Amino acid sequence: GVMERLGLGPEVLLQENPRLIYARLTGFGQTGKYAKSAGHDINYLALSGVLSKLGRKNENPYAPVNLLADFAGGGVICALGIVIALVERARSGRGQVIDASMVEGVAYLSSFLWKSQKLLGLWSQTRGENLLDSGAPFYETYRTSDGKFMAVGAIEPLFYKQLIKGLGLNSDELPAQMSVSDWPEMKKKFASVFAQKTQAEWCSIFDSTDACVIPVLSLDDAASHQHNKERSSFIKNDQGEMSPRPAPVLSRTPAVPSHERDPFIGEHTEEILLEYGFTKQEIAKLHSDKAIELKNLKANL
């Protein structure tokens, strides 16, 4: 109701421009019991059902920072809705309102969880005991002797065979890969082996294989990793700060990233409002009413 109170709701604006695409991105959506309630990523994850699947056995569910609901289920799904509406407008000539709920966005992203519950028993066990949620010894992270970690994802038998070989174990002396009852003991065995070498030593063993064993990198290490450097996956701005380059990469019209630092909040407010015809007095009034933020970076000498 915020935009309606400002007189800028979709009904008003679509009358002015029927081709307008009006995106409304909220946590709980425009209708329903919680529509007007406050919330954060962890709350949207909880209501979607996804949070119940995140976490290890016998531990509380945990939210992976705010990536899933805010950015994936919210921002990305909303952007996808805008793209879909643009494609439809090219045919109909009409705009429409997009009701992007983070609860529904992250739930839709989790469609695989819903549709695979009975498929091959992927999610038939309780949290932390399944194939992809840290239950399997071959889909897990392990601490190395230098306190770092390796990520293992050797699901297919061919990959698993190379994992066992790299660990220096004898497959004839181990239980079958898919013997679920043996997974807890296998995890202990794998953990004890990984703890005997540094992350760099394990990289030298597994980097030339298809064992699906990759180092768990810090943000700084990710930016300097050979693979990422060869693809220019991370860029440096004029302040020396690293960040991911835009993705995906388009062959004909790739994004051209800016190497300037991120603007401060309010840094360009006055400049842009003046460009759009506001007077300095009007801008000062908006600032005093706390409708906008201003940040003057120029020293007054």
Side-chain angles (χ1 to χ4, degrees):
V2 174
M3 297 303 286
E4 282 80 2
R5 290 196 294 273
L6 295 173
L8 298 172
E11 294 80 7
V12 174
L13 297 187
L14 282 166
Q15 284 184 356
E16 295 289 329
N17 178 8
R19 290 177 54 83
L20 183 68
I21 294 168
Y22 194 112
R24 311 199 78 164
L25 174 57
T26 60
F28 297 110
Q30 296 299 311
T31 59
K33 177 179 179 179
Y34 292 152
K36 297 184 182 299
S37 299
H40 278 294
D41 184 284
I42 194 170
N43 308 123
Y44 313 140
L45 276 178
L47 195 62
S48 73
V50 175
L51 185 57
S52 71
K53 294 293 186 182
L54 306 179
R56 294 182 178 277
K57 180 180 178 180
N58 298 326
E59 293 184 8
N60 294 355
Y62 67 84
V65 290
N66 64 329
L67 293 176
L68 271 184
D70 282 354
F71 298 123
V76 173
I77 291 294
C78 184
L80 178 61
I82 293 170
V83 172
I84 293 170
L86 286 168
V87 172
E88 194 281 334
R89 189 178 71 178
R91 300 173 181 171
S92 69
R94 300 171 58 196
Q96 56 186 307
V97 180
I98 298 167
D99 180 0
S101 155
M102 295 185 199
V103 172
E104 293 165 359
V106 73
Y108 185 56
L109 283 174
S110 73
S111 296
F112 169 72
L113 299 180
W114 293 82
K115 295 180 178 295
S116 63
Q117 287 185 87
K118 298 179 181 178
L119 175 65
L120 304 176
L122 282 181
W123 306 104
S124 59
Q125 306 298 317
T126 56
R127 183 179 65 250
E129 296 183 352
N130 299 281
L131 181 69
L132 302 179
D133 65 358
S134 79
F138 48 85
Y139 204 88
E140 176 63 289
T141 57
Y142 293 99
R143 183 184 294 270
T144 57
S145 64
D146 53 348
K148 298 181 180 181
F149 296 88
M150 299 297 290
V152 177
I155 298 176
E156 291 78 3
L158 177 63
F159 303 155
Y160 182 74
K161 183 178 179 180
Q162 295 184 57
L163 167 65
I164 297 302
K165 179 180 178 182
L167 291 175
L169 298 174
N170 186 344
S171 58
D172 293 334
E173 300 174 355
L174 301 175
Q177 179 186 357
M178 291 299 175
S179 178
V180 176
S181 62
D182 291 305
W183 280 0
E185 285 304 313
M186 287 298 294
K187 287 179 69 172
K188 292 179 182 178
K189 181 180 288 291
F190 286 7
S192 67
V193 175
F194 272 107
Q196 295 171 17
K197 289 182 171 63
T198 65
Q199 185 186 73
E201 289 174 322
W202 286 120
C203 287
S204 67
I205 291 172
F206 286 112
D207 272 1
S208 58
T209 73
D210 280 333
C212 301
V213 180
I214 296 290
V216 178
L217 301 177
S218 67
L219 296 186
D220 289 339
D221 288 341
S224 61
H225 190 274
Q226 180 183 351
H227 174 83
N228 294 331
K229 289 176 67 175
E230 289 174 357
R231 287 185 50 82
S232 301
S233 300
F234 296 86
I235 56 176
K236 183 181 295 186
N237 68 12
D238 56 12
Q239 303 291 304
E241 300 167 332
M242 299 295 296
S243 62
R245 75 160 178 200
V249 180
L250 305 185
S251 64
R252 215 170 29 80
T253 58
V256 180
S258 171
H259 291 281
E260 296 181 2
R261 63 161 174 78
D262 293 337
F264 298 112
I265 295 176
E267 181 176 350
H268 302 117
T269 303
E270 183 176 20
E271 174 187 341
I272 292 172
L273 292 179
L274 287 171
E275 181 181 328
Y276 274 85
F278 286 79
T279 66
K280 290 205 171 189
Q281 291 75 16
E282 290 172 325
I283 296 173
K285 179 68 165 59
L286 289 170
H287 185 236
S288 66
D289 290 343
K290 300 186 184 302
I292 61 172
E293 290 195 39
L294 297 176
K295 187 174 183 67
N296 185 5
L297 300 182
K298 299 177 182 178
N300 295 317
L301 300 178

Short mmCIF file of all heavy atoms in Angstrom, two decimals, residues 249-256:
data_model
loop_
_atom_site.label_atom_id
_atom_site.label_comp_id
_atom_site.label_asym_id
_atom_site.label_seq_id
_atom_site.Cartn_x
_atom_site.Cartn_y
_atom_site.Cartn_z
N VAL A 249 27.72 -14.77 -19.68
CA VAL A 249 28.47 -14.06 -20.71
C VAL A 249 27.78 -14.26 -22.06
O VAL A 249 27.59 -15.39 -22.50
CB VAL A 249 29.92 -14.56 -20.77
CG1 VAL A 249 30.70 -13.80 -21.85
CG2 VAL A 249 30.60 -14.42 -19.41
N LEU A 250 27.40 -13.17 -22.70
CA LEU A 250 26.77 -13.23 -24.02
C LEU A 250 27.84 -13.12 -25.10
O LEU A 250 28.75 -12.32 -25.00
CB LEU A 250 25.74 -12.11 -24.18
CG LEU A 250 24.66 -12.03 -23.10
CD1 LEU A 250 23.64 -10.95 -23.44
CD2 LEU A 250 23.96 -13.36 -22.91
N SER A 251 27.71 -13.93 -26.14
CA SER A 251 28.75 -13.98 -27.17
C SER A 251 28.80 -12.70 -28.01
O SER A 251 29.88 -12.24 -28.38
CB SER A 251 28.51 -15.18 -28.10
OG SER A 251 27.28 -15.03 -28.80
N ARG A 252 27.63 -12.10 -28.30
CA ARG A 252 27.59 -10.96 -29.20
C ARG A 252 27.53 -9.63 -28.46
O ARG A 252 28.13 -8.65 -28.88
CB ARG A 252 26.37 -11.09 -30.13
CG ARG A 252 26.58 -10.58 -31.52
CD ARG A 252 25.43 -10.95 -32.47
NE ARG A 252 24.13 -11.12 -31.87
CZ ARG A 252 23.31 -10.11 -31.53
NH1 ARG A 252 23.69 -8.87 -31.73
NH2 ARG A 252 22.13 -10.37 -31.00
N THR A 253 26.81 -9.61 -27.36
CA THR A 253 26.65 -8.36 -26.61
C THR A 253 26.98 -8.57 -25.13
O THR A 253 26.10 -8.44 -24.26
CB THR A 253 25.21 -7.83 -26.74
OG1 THR A 253 24.30 -8.85 -26.27
CG2 THR A 253 24.89 -7.49 -28.18
N PRO A 254 28.21 -8.93 -24.82
CA PRO A 254 28.56 -9.14 -23.41
C PRO A 254 28.46 -7.84 -22.62
O PRO A 254 28.64 -6.75 -23.18
CB PRO A 254 30.01 -9.64 -23.49
CG PRO A 254 30.53 -9.05 -24.77
CD PRO A 254 29.38 -9.06 -25.72
N ALA A 255 28.15 -7.96 -21.35
CA ALA A 255 28.06 -6.78 -20.49
C ALA A 255 29.42 -6.12 -20.37
O ALA A 255 30.46 -6.79 -20.36
CB ALA A 255 27.56 -7.19 -19.10
N VAL A 256 29.42 -4.81 -20.31
CA VAL A 256 30.66 -4.05 -20.11
C VAL A 256 30.62 -3.51 -18.68
O VAL A 256 29.94 -2.52 -18.40
CB VAL A 256 30.77 -2.90 -21.12
CG1 VAL A 256 32.08 -2.12 -20.88
CG2 VAL A 256 30.71 -3.42 -22.55
#
